Amino acid sequence: MRGVVRRFLLMILTVLGITLLVFALMAAGPGGVAAALRPGPGEGESAERAAREAYLEGRYGLDRPTAEQYVRWLGRLSPVKFGRPPRIGPAGERLEAPRAPSPPVLLEWAGVAAAPAPSSDNVGSDWRAAADRAARALAGYFAARAEYEAVLRRYARSAGEVGAIDASGRVVPERLRRRPMDPSNAETPAVVEAARRAAAAHGAARSGCEAYGRALKTSALPSAGFVIVPGAVYLDRPDLGMSFSRGRPVADLIAEALPITVLLNLLAFALVYAIGIPAGILAAARGGTWIDAALRAVFIGLWSLPIVWSAVMLQGFLAHAGRLAWFPPTGLHSPGADEWPMLPFTDESGAWRAGFLGDALWHLCLPVACLAMGSFAVLSRQTRAAVLENLHADYARTARAKGASERAILFRHVLRNSLLPIITLFAGVFPAMLSGSVVVESVFNIPGMGTLIFDAVMLRDREVLMASVLMVSVVNVLALWLADVLYALADPRVSVA
Amino acid sequence: MRGTAEPGRGTASDRARRVRPETVAALSWLAVAALAAAVAPIVASGHPIVLHRLDESGGITATEYPLWRMLTGADRAWLIAGAGMIAAAVMGAVRARRMAWWALGALVAGGMAAAAATAPRPRIAVFDYAERQARGEVRAVYTLIPWSPNERPGDRDARMLPPGIFEDEPLANLPREGVADDELFDARLWPVLVERVDRLPVPSATRARIVQRLADEHFTRHGLSGGEAERIARDCLRGGRRHLLGTDAHGQDVLSNMIHAARTAISVGVVAVGVATILGVLIGSLMGYIGRWVDGVLMRVVEVFMGVPLLFILVAASAVLPRSLAATMLVLGCFTWMGAARLTRAEFLRLRGQDFVLAARAAGLPTWSIVLRHLLPNAAAPVVIDASFSLAAVVVLEASLSYLGLGPPGRASWGLLMQSAKGEAGDFAWWLAVFPGLAVFLTALSYNIAGEALRDALDPKTHR
């Protein structure tokens, strides 16, 4: 039991490591996480653009160091959160005042003092109006900042500052700061003016955000989450972010896709074990005969079979409308299946229909077969090896000597002892199958996690990308932990360490 | 190997000598694939080997060698690697085995590294040799498969064509639905075509047959569009060769693509597994030799990498990182090193306390010597066996990524060919599924069989 708990804690550590890996991968791209998520020049309308900037600013802190961006992101993801819990809005959404954005760059260089936050005493308790004001102030600030950066770019270009504009067209403040501003440059007055405006807008945005925060605090809205230490620590559901390409929270997208992928894999898994173990036992029991040799060839063939190929072939030859249309080629449901009852039925014309469930299963036949094919060979080979080894063990010889039948030896003695390595094999089979579902879902057009992440790549939606890789990994790690626990239960000698 | 006097080596050598037929088949396929990769630009190219420029009366005014001229640095590196391979095979046959292995290793590694480093991105191309030939300006001698992998038909009727050889396969099964009336063969083209065929430097019987076919089958009976007719005529002019394994959705030759794709598959596999093995052995030996907290920390790192389903992280990585051949290789290597690390760690833990290591330590050997000279050679067997299985896995992964359209861009790949099997119009182009898929399957299978053979030869513990 202690081992199981220890293992669970290690698993949490692993998940933390995976968040770091995923974030590091995203940050490794040109420009880092923030730059990649930021709308490009001329991308999107100004209102949507500002909303996106505000979102990214709050979630990552756009101009912060990468390490801080990671910590902020992790704070959003973690179910254990620090600080004051957000309020729950009327539609069930989490309401939180946006973090004050970072001030515009190079203010002191341009000789402009940061605007002091205007003290707003007239705090209304109307959080809606405050939210509106904060959003407008933020949008105003982002527009002013974009304008300021554009002017800075012009200045850098006319001042001949090489390297002050990076590959993505953004200003590099460090390069400009090296030399004091050139007063004789034609763009200088414009820079100062734009900096002044950006500083003022920043002050307004900051006070807007603070006012919104105060309004929320005084409002009668209920608090979200489960408070552990008042004002400091609370539990709440992880915030997976917002998908801008689809205009929906990422959590919703994953909640739709993940069950499909898990179902696909569980079905395939059941099939793998249902076929794999008997086939392995058969091969071992007939060890050395032609059956064994044939099964060995089949196993190594199936083991090497690329899922891509089997999926394309099965779909093309068995499901294509132009050929044997035994199975539906793509999707998860027939059109109109939503209105069918669960179980098979006969429609008004007297024709037999499979029903909603049967229809879904029929759609899943080929994908599940594709996923299972490679894995079951691995399992069978392992079973065969384990059974064969045990058949030659001393205890099997003893049983044989005392006159037990071969059948009894195989099923009573050998099989039980051979099952242990089969449980550990879970750790090898499950991740491979999960990653195979990317291909299978893509070929058969099944709206699972693989399709979600593939579409996210195509739409360049990093929020979906990060969250879905993370969630799939969590499922994977949980499954591996479960396998460990099962192993400990099955074999009392093993303390799960 | 040769001596039978040593009693201890008798069984091992016997076992090695009893090479199973499937091992021979597997190694043969790998050799074929590697050879195809090496000589791809010579075997399959749309550039003629010899191109004679002709004057008005048909006399040769100049001679060019476009195929040789178009070879890139990568092509040359591959050819050198191929030559090394053949040399190694020959030396292996005359029993200079050790030298053979070194030659093979050095040349293949050098060639592949050069190929990976220098390979420019091939561009989509439309070649004009056939047209010039048709105009009677040049006479050309083509290589075995007269298509480059990136060669697209110049006309707008790029269609997926099923496999077929011009001489035997009736062209009646060319798709012709969807040809609008106004696109039907333009009668004005006909005399031009006949004239071109008449000027072909081929025996008159062949000329007559080509004209006959053009007239009978393709234009009158099948109502082909002008572009299609042009294309067929052009193929005829090219010595009667058609696409042996058909074309893909862009009208590119499948066989040529498959031969060139062997390069991608083999180089990605070898480099990625090389990166993974080096990384894994490094990390694994740190874990196994130092132990303690280093082992604990690195074990967590291994678990983190194993916790992420491979294809998911690869798809995500392809969205973020620059897409190139080198990036694909590196990314694949950086996410598959865990097996090698775990095996090295286990071997080091097993060997660490053994007498010969203690003796080495007692003799005052430096750590690097103990690790490199004493531990690593004894720990190598499982890692080498695992590398062979990893090669199979990486080849399949590369095909999967390419199928998803996330592989190295602009490069022939078996996975990419499979992508267009499910045609735009909803037809299933079986030849695009069967042939490239079979190549992936055979390569993965061969690596796996080779791995099994290696295990039987190197690992005395496994008894089958």
Side-chain angles (χ1 to χ4, degrees):
Chain A
M1 201 55 221
R2 260 188 61 216
V4 169
V5 173
R6 190 181 117 84
R7 202 66 213 160
F8 188 80
L9 293 178
L10 282 181
M11 185 189 82
I12 291 176
L13 206 61
T14 306
V15 170
L16 271 178
I18 291 172
T19 62
L20 185 61
L21 176 68
V22 170
F23 191 87
L25 184 67
M26 293 296 148
V33 176
L37 287 164
R38 196 173 239 174
E43 198 182 313
E45 288 177 23
S46 61
E48 194 222 2
R49 208 185 144 86
R52 218 160 129 173
E53 290 252 5
Y55 168 82
L56 292 172
E57 184 81 53
R59 196 168 168 81
Y60 299 97
L62 285 175
D63 295 317
R64 301 294 165 141
T66 312
E68 193 190 324
Q69 291 181 348
Y70 169 66
V71 173
R72 280 196 187 188
W73 177 65
L74 197 62
R76 295 286 181 148
L77 285 181
S78 159
V80 183
K81 295 175 195 291
F82 301 96
R84 288 182 185 285
R87 302 302 175 114
I88 300 177
E93 76 275 28
R94 299 283 188 275
L95 291 176
E96 209 172 356
R99 222 184 276 250
S102 50
V105 291
L106 295 169
L107 278 188
E108 63 275 36
W109 175 81
V112 174
S119 60
S120 42
D121 307 314
N122 52 342
V123 187
S125 62
D126 183 7
W127 61 271
R128 278 175 211 275
D132 207 38
R133 269 200 301 278
R136 256 184 287 129
L138 271 178
Y141 170 54
F142 290 130
R145 191 171 66 175
E147 176 61 27
Y148 176 45
E149 284 194 0
V151 176
L152 275 180
R153 265 198 298 278
R154 279 209 298 277
Y155 171 84
R157 241 178 246 126
S158 67
E161 292 273 2
V162 190
I165 300 172
D166 67 9
S168 59
R170 302 184 59 79
V171 175
V172 184
E174 292 76 29
R175 295 301 290 262
L176 279 178
R177 204 172 284 140
R178 277 191 203 164
R179 274 192 286 165
M181 197 162 58
D182 177 14
S184 61
N185 193 306
E187 297 288 348
T188 302
V191 170
V192 174
E193 179 53 35
R196 200 166 286 142
R197 242 181 286 137
H202 176 247
R206 214 170 63 194
S207 65
C209 293
E210 280 163 14
Y212 181 27
R214 278 196 296 273
L216 272 185
K217 211 190 284 179
T218 52
S219 72
L221 293 170
S223 281
F226 177 77
V227 177
I228 296 177
V229 181
V233 184
Y234 65 98
L235 295 179
D236 197 4
R237 59 181 180 206
D239 173 13
L240 294 180
M242 181 77 192
S243 159
F244 282 98
S245 62
R246 313 223 191 165
R248 293 180 61 195
V250 177
D252 287 6
L253 295 173
I254 290 182
E256 282 168 16
L258 193 60
I260 294 173
T261 298
V262 170
L263 174 72
L264 197 64
N265 278 280
L266 285 183
L267 284 176
F269 220 75
L271 195 65
V272 163
Y273 272 73
I275 303 176
I277 294 180
I281 294 171
L282 179 70
R286 300 272 185 278
T289 64
W290 67 269
I291 297 180
D292 184 29
L295 280 176
R296 264 176 64 87
V298 170
F299 293 158
I300 196 167
L302 283 180
W303 176 38
S304 313
L305 194 67
I307 289 187
V308 190
W309 192 38
S310 54
V312 170
M313 293 283 275
L314 285 184
Q315 189 196 38
F317 284 108
L318 296 187
H320 198 273
R323 292 174 192 266
L324 302 171
W326 290 349
F327 297 96
T330 55
L332 207 50
H333 303 288
S334 300
D338 293 345
E339 288 152 24
W340 295 355
M342 269 295 166
L343 296 175
F345 66 106
T346 49
D347 62 10
E348 51 271 21
S349 61
W352 188 83
R353 289 296 186 75
F356 185 80
L357 203 62
D359 178 63
L361 282 178
W362 188 45
H363 277 81
L364 280 172
C365 276
L366 289 185
V368 167
C370 286
L371 274 185
M373 245 187 263
S375 304
F376 117 79
V378 177
L379 187 76
S380 293
R381 285 157 58 91
Q382 196 74 28
T383 311
R384 176 186 172 277
V387 170
L388 215 52
E389 198 179 321
N390 279 305
L391 275 176
H392 294 297
D394 287 342
Y395 71 85
R397 199 181 310 138
T398 310
R400 222 167 272 139
K402 83 175 188 201
S405 69
E406 273 305 313
R407 173 175 282 272
I409 294 170
L410 183 63
F411 287 103
R412 283 247 188 93
H413 302 272
V414 166
L415 191 56
R416 285 190 188 179
N417 287 299
S418 309
L419 284 177
L420 279 177
I422 296 166
I423 297 178
T424 39
L425 203 69
F426 185 90
V429 170
F430 191 75
M433 218 150 78
L434 209 53
S435 87
S437 51
V438 175
V439 171
V440 167
E441 284 173 12
S442 166
V443 173
F444 290 100
N445 213 352
I446 294 170
M449 290 302 281
T451 308
L452 185 66
I453 194 171
F454 181 70
D455 289 347
V457 171
M458 293 299 138
L459 296 168
R460 303 159 57 85
D461 193 334
R462 289 218 186 167
E463 294 289 272
V464 176
L465 211 59
M466 286 204 275
S468 42
V469 173
L470 199 64
M471 289 317 286
V472 172
S473 305
V474 167
V475 168
N476 186 27
V477 171
L478 263 176
L480 297 186
W481 174 72
L482 208 65
D484 274 341
V485 173
L486 281 180
Y487 193 58
L489 289 180
D491 189 350
R493 287 171 305 178
V494 181
S495 71
V496 181
Chain B
M1 278 289 148
R2 249 170 289 168
T4 46
E6 297 161 84
R9 305 196 70 181
T11 51
S13 132
D14 282 351
R15 199 161 34 194
R17 209 166 286 156
R18 238 188 295 122
V19 179
R20 289 197 298 271
E22 72 258 29
T23 312
V24 175
L27 292 179
S28 310
W29 168 260
L30 288 178
V32 166
L35 205 64
V39 300
I42 297 184
V43 172
S45 175
H47 300 287
I49 304 172
V50 183
L51 188 74
H52 297 297
R53 284 175 187 278
L54 306 176
D55 59 16
E56 290 297 315
S57 60
I60 297 169
T61 57
T63 304
E64 292 173 26
Y65 305 94
L67 195 148
W68 308 109
R69 210 186 55 229
M70 301 304 285
L71 287 186
T72 61
D75 292 337
R76 296 211 177 88
W78 273 101
L79 283 174
I80 293 170
M85 223 151 51
I86 295 168
V90 170
M91 276 194 276
V94 297
R95 288 189 159 261
R97 294 228 169 142
R98 184 173 280 265
M99 274 187 57
W101 283 114
W102 279 113
L104 179 111
L107 279 168
V108 171
M112 280 181 183
T118 60
R121 211 163 126 174
R123 289 213 198 90
I124 293 151
V126 178
F127 293 179
D128 66 343
Y129 300 113
E131 273 164 26
R132 286 163 68 191
Q133 195 170 2
R135 284 198 297 271
E137 294 169 5
V138 294
R139 199 162 74 209
V141 180
Y142 286 94
T143 178
L144 210 56
I145 296 149
W147 307 100
S148 284
N150 54 341
E151 180 181 354
R152 296 187 178 183
D155 56 58
R156 60 207 153 80
D157 293 21
R159 287 213 185 129
M160 279 196 272
L161 298 179
I165 305 166
F166 174 69
E167 296 299 334
D168 306 316
E169 181 77 18
L171 292 169
N173 53 4
L174 276 177
R176 62 196 153 105
E177 51 282 323
V179 178
D181 280 345
D182 56 328
E183 278 186 339
L184 281 178
F185 174 61
D186 183 352
R188 282 169 302 173
L189 259 175
W190 180 234
V192 182
L193 275 175
V194 173
E195 196 193 325
R196 287 178 191 173
V197 175
D198 259 349
R199 279 160 64 180
L200 274 182
V202 290
S204 58
T206 313
R207 258 195 314 243
R209 208 168 64 229
I210 293 173
V211 173
Q212 186 67 34
R213 282 183 74 98
L214 287 177
D216 280 2
E217 292 188 28
H218 309 130
F219 306 148
T220 50
R221 268 225 309 257
H222 300 302
L224 293 166
S225 71
E228 198 85 25
E230 272 272 349
R231 190 162 165 213
I232 292 163
R234 223 184 275 155
D235 292 347
C236 300
L237 300 175
R238 253 191 198 195
R241 272 179 201 284
R242 289 199 50 77
H243 303 281
L244 280 173
L245 296 186
T247 64
D248 69 2
H250 306 293
Q252 302 174 150
D253 186 63
V254 170
L255 182 57
S256 173
N257 261 287
M258 277 179 63
I259 289 175
H260 283 259
R263 272 184 179 197
T264 317
I266 287 186
S267 62
V268 167
V270 169
V271 176
V273 171
V275 169
T277 306
I278 291 171
L279 214 61
V281 166
L282 205 71
I283 294 175
S285 43
L286 277 179
M287 286 198 288
Y289 191 76
I290 302 178
R292 295 193 302 272
W293 64 269
V294 176
D295 186 30
V297 169
L298 288 178
M299 206 59 206
R300 295 282 85 72
V301 176
V302 169
E303 279 188 0
V304 165
F305 273 82
M306 300 209 354
V308 191
L310 200 50
L311 258 178
F312 277 90
I313 196 89
L314 289 178
V315 167
S318 69
V320 183
L321 303 178
R323 294 253 305 280
S324 69
L325 191 64
T328 306
M329 291 167 168
L330 276 180
V331 167
L332 276 170
C334 288
F335 285 105
T336 49
W337 53 270
M338 294 82 75
R342 276 158 53 116
L343 288 170
T344 311
R345 171 181 179 268
E347 284 297 295
F348 269 46
L349 287 180
R350 186 173 66 82
L351 296 169
R352 196 166 58 167
Q354 287 195 2
D355 289 345
F356 73 97
V357 181
L358 294 181
R361 205 175 287 163
L365 288 182
T367 309
W368 66 265
S369 167
I370 297 175
V371 170
L372 285 183
R373 290 246 177 96
H374 298 268
L375 283 171
L376 261 186
N378 285 295
V383 178
V384 171
I385 295 162
D386 182 64
S388 190
F389 297 134
S390 293
L391 276 169
V394 166
V395 165
V396 172
L397 277 176
E398 189 272 322
S400 309
L401 275 181
S402 296
Y403 174 83
L404 294 172
L406 303 173
R411 230 160 255 285
S413 163
W414 292 329
L416 197 63
L417 284 172
M418 277 192 268
Q419 192 184 30
S420 41
K422 194 162 62 172
E424 294 292 315
D427 322 317
F428 173 57
W430 61 269
W431 60 96
L432 286 173
V434 172
F435 302 123
L438 197 64
V440 181
F441 170 62
L442 285 180
T443 309
L445 183 66
S446 300
Y447 279 134
N448 279 335
I449 290 177
E452 301 248 293
L454 263 179
R455 178 158 64 196
D456 291 347
L458 293 180
D459 195 350
K461 278 175 295 185
T462 49
H463 38 82
R464 298 188 296 111

